[in-house]
């Protein structure tokens, strides 16, 4: 018997650390670690100990004899990886035990954000004796895109929250929620109370198409749609026209597939998930029967992952179709095989996800709202697709941060291994660091943030040892008093705990894992509830 890593792998490498025979690849430092879609277990080396399955935070590891039928292909997928990447020089991985320099008794770091990048950084820092961490979050709730970006029907992926919750609960981690850095407190002020400030605020904007008609009502960012159905307070009151039969999604990454799947699955399927109640109600009244997933590049450049495409094909009641001339001679491998099978379903009726390739959007047309979108084909001809809703899923984008330099071209904080760099002086800004999408751009999945955060933490430790960090001259008690004076509804870990309990209580009443509170007033009211 061997173990198999399947769809949903978070890539954070937790399993690698516990494998006694080091048969999981790729590992941190391997050339393809930062680009791989998932990790793989070598069936010829695995000794059936099960340590990886116990350690996996998202339940993506299975024994081969107990692999669910819908994941059966992953036995071959794991084995195939090692056919082209044979396991040689197994050895033990190199893991660093991080400690403070001998002449430094303490280190305090403020982390802005509580999403995956922030939580991985907090986990790495708070593991070190003598380190204290202050996490500052704009919303009353933690966990960033795990809470507001992961698709509701990906419940196992959301289980990473259990691990992050454990980090927040550590005694050397202090949390302040409902505090906006740049408004309630400046980055420069945070440095008065800490040796370093690590910005892990993510990417809160999205890329634009840059075509005529993009500003018409009915054109939205997929990011906004995802935040709406996940109950993000900033987007809970958004509305989307679901009265038409066709929706066009521009882009074909995993977010595009999440959106397409969500639009076509029966609304009843989401009653057992954490989807916001307002979204379930709106989807129940939807008339959408077709989602066109359009990409300007060819099928061989599909941005979706193999796992998400395989899962999409297995959805009951939804046909996945494609055009023969756009797929047949474009690509190879399992993703191409799925698309070729989709070609054979070209005439399917009922709810349909239709993949289109080689279509460049050139304009959105309509009077007072979207009526159609026109594409240019590779041969120069055009195609007009009628629709009343267009969702652009062409990537998230970082936004400028008050008090920090910003690169408008890459939409990131200019940095060197996580050290924020002043581009005018071409040198690191003392005490300022970054991690996550605002550091490297919006790419990678949840676990990609782990190695990223560890790189930044190592930069902080190196700078501390080199004497580049100034000791804070204000105390943590003074920080708490300052925030309490400035923020009317300052929330701590206990307040978030009350929100968490209330959402779970509401979920139990409707036989759901959780029913999210989706407005700031609701969340604040729950935070003040008495046990």
């Amino acid at each position: 018997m061997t173990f198999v890593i399947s769809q949903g792998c978070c890539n954070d490498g937790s399993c690698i650390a516990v494998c006694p025979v080091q048969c999981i690849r790729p590992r941190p430092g391997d050339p393809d670690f930062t680009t791989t879609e998932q990790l793989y277990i070598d069936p010829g080396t695995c000794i059936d100990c099960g340590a990886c399955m116990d350690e996996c935070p998202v339940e993506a590891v299975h024994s081969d004899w107990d692999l669910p039928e819908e994941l059966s292909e992953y036995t071959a997928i794991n084995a195939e990886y090692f056919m082209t990447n044979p396991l040689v020089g197994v050895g033990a991985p190199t893991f660093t035990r991080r400690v403070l320099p001998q002449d430094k008794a303490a280190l305090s770091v403020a982390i802005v954000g509580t999403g995956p990048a922030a939580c991985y950084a907090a986990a790495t820092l708070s593991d070190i004796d003598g380190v204290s961490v202050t996490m500052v979050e704009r919303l009353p709730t933690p966990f960033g895109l795990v809470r507001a970006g992961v698709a509701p029907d990906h419940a196992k992926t959301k289980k990473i929250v259990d691990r992050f919750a454990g980090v927040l609960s550590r005694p050397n981690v202090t949390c302040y929620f409902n505090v906006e850095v740049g408004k309630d407190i400046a980055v420069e002020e945070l440095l008065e109370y800490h040796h370093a400030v690590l910005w892990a605020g993510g990417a809160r904007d999205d890329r634009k198409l840059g075509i005529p008609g993009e500003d018409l009502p009915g054109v939205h960012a997929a990011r906004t749609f995802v935040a709406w159905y996940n109950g993000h307070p900033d987007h809970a009151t958004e509305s989307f026209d679901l009265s038409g039969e066709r929706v066009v999604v521009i882009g074909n990454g995993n977010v595009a597939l999440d959106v397409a799947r969500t639009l076509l699955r029966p609304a009843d399927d989401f009653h057992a998930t954490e989807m916001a109640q307002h979204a379930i109600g709106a989807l129940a009244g939807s008339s959408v029967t077709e989602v066109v997933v359009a990409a300007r590049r060819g099928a061989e450049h599909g941005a979706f992952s193999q796992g998400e495409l395989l899962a999409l094909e297995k959805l009951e009641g939804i046909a996945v179709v494609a055009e023969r001339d756009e797929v047949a001679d474009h690509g190879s491998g399992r993703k191409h095989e799925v698309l070729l099978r989709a070609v054979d379903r070209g005439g399917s009726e009922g709810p349909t996800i239709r993949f289109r390739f080689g279509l460049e959007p050139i304009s959105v047309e309509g009077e007072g709202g979207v009526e159609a979108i026109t594409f240019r084909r590779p041969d120069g001809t055009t195609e007009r697709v009628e629709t009343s809703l267009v969702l652009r899923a062409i990537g998230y984008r970082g936004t400028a941060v008050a008090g920090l330099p910003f690169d408008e071209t890459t939409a990131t904080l200019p940095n060197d291994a996580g050290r924020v760099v002043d581009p005018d002086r071409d040198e690191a800004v003392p005490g300022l660091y970054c991690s996550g999408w605002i550091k490297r751009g919006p790419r990678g999945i949840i676990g990609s943030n782990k190695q990223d955060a560890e790189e930044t933490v190592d930069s902080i430790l190196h700078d501390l040892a080199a004497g580049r960090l100034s000791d804070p001259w204000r105390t943590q008690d003074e920080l708490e008093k300052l925030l309490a004076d400035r923020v009317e509804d300052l929330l701590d870990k206990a307040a978030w705990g009350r929100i968490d309990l209330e959402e779970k209580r509401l979920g139990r009443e409707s036989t759901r894992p959780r029913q999210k509170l989706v407005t700031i007033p609701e969340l604040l009211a729950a935070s003040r509830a008495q046990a």
Side-chain angles (χ1 to χ4, degrees), residues 144-152 158 226-227 229-230 255 258 396 516:
L145 283 182
V146 179
R147 178 178 169 96
V150 174
K158 287 180 175 288
V226 170
Y229 66 60
N230 271 317
V255 171
D258 285 346
Y396 287 57
K516 288 180 179 175

Side-chain angles (χ1 to χ4, degrees), residues 197-199 413-421 428-429 431-436 439-440 452-453 455-457 459-460 463:
V197 174
L198 193 165
W199 191 281
L413 299 182
N415 72 93
D416 175 16
R419 298 178 181 88
V420 174
V421 171
V429 182
L432 298 183
Y433 301 84
C434 59
S435 186
K439 171 186 173 184
R440 68 181 188 277
D452 181 296
E455 178 187 59
T456 297
V457 169
S459 292
I460 294 173
D463 291 349

Side-chain angles (χ1 to χ4, degrees), residues 96-109 121 123-133 195-196 198 417-419 431 433 453-469:
T96 303
R97 180 178 179 271
R98 296 174 175 86
V99 296
L100 293 183
Q102 289 185 351
D103 60 338
K104 303 292 183 181
L107 169 67
S108 59
V109 180
T124 303
L125 284 164
S126 59
D127 273 341
I128 305 170
D129 289 341
V131 174
S132 61
V133 175
H195 292 87
L198 193 165
R419 298 178 181 88
Y433 301 84
E454 289 179 352
E455 178 187 59
T456 297
V457 169
D458 287 339
S459 292
I460 294 173
L461 294 175
H462 185 273
D463 291 349
L464 179 68
R468 299 192 186 105
L469 301 183

Side-chain angles (χ1 to χ4, degrees), residues 262-507:
T262 300
L263 283 164
L264 293 178
R265 289 192 70 171
D268 286 348
D269 287 0
F270 295 105
H271 279 297
T273 75
E274 296 181 5
M275 177 178 280
Q277 191 59 45
H278 62 252
I280 294 177
L283 291 170
S286 171
S287 299
V288 177
T289 58
E290 180 186 35
V291 178
V292 177
V293 178
R296 68 179 66 206
R297 302 180 72 187
E300 67 272 27
H301 300 293
F304 41 75
S305 68
Q306 174 177 265
E308 289 298 319
L309 186 62
L310 286 169
L312 199 68
E313 183 187 37
K314 293 179 172 64
L315 279 178
E316 185 176 350
I318 298 177
V320 178
V321 303
E323 304 293 323
R324 181 171 296 280
D325 61 340
E326 295 173 1
V327 170
D329 298 322
H330 302 274
S332 60
R334 285 184 181 272
K335 289 200 288 190
H336 190 234
E337 290 172 7
V338 173
L339 292 174
L340 287 176
R341 291 196 291 270
V343 166
D344 295 333
R345 305 187 200 97
S348 295
E349 297 180 358
T352 302
I353 296 173
R354 188 176 303 277
F355 280 96
R356 298 297 309 275
F357 298 95
L359 297 184
E360 178 188 0
I362 56 175
S363 65
V364 181
E365 295 93 35
E367 294 293 332
V370 175
E371 296 174 9
I373 180 168
T374 297
F375 297 93
R376 181 185 293 113
R377 298 192 188 96
D379 62 5
T381 60
T382 61
E383 179 176 344
R384 187 174 187 269
V385 179
E386 294 184 355
T387 181
S388 56
L389 178 60
V390 174
L391 299 173
R392 57 174 182 267
I394 55 174
Y396 287 57
R397 179 179 169 83
T399 55
V401 174
L404 297 178
F406 187 70
D407 186 328
E408 288 288 350
T409 302
T410 62
T412 60
L413 299 182
N415 72 93
D416 175 16
R419 298 178 181 88
V420 174
V421 171
D422 181 345
D424 295 330
R425 303 173 64 181
D426 194 27
E427 60 183 34
V429 182
L432 298 183
Y433 301 84
C434 59
S435 186
W437 281 0
I438 197 66
K439 171 186 173 184
R440 68 181 188 277
R443 60 183 183 272
I445 57 177
I446 290 173
S448 306
N449 293 288
K450 185 176 183 180
Q451 304 301 319
D452 181 296
E454 289 179 352
E455 178 187 59
T456 297
V457 169
D458 287 339
S459 292
I460 294 173
L461 294 175
H462 185 273
D463 291 349
L464 179 68
R468 299 192 186 105
L469 301 183
S470 300
D471 291 335
W473 56 279
R474 293 186 183 274
T475 68
Q476 292 298 305
D477 287 343
E478 289 176 309
L479 174 61
E480 183 169 349
K481 183 179 185 304
L482 176 78
L483 292 175
D485 289 342
R486 292 183 181 179
V487 181
E488 183 178 355
D489 292 288
L490 179 65
L491 307 186
D492 57 11
K493 287 191 278 192
W496 154 242
R498 290 189 286 272
I499 295 172
D500 188 38
L501 288 173
E502 176 63 7
E503 290 186 339
K504 289 176 178 175
R505 184 191 68 79
L506 292 171

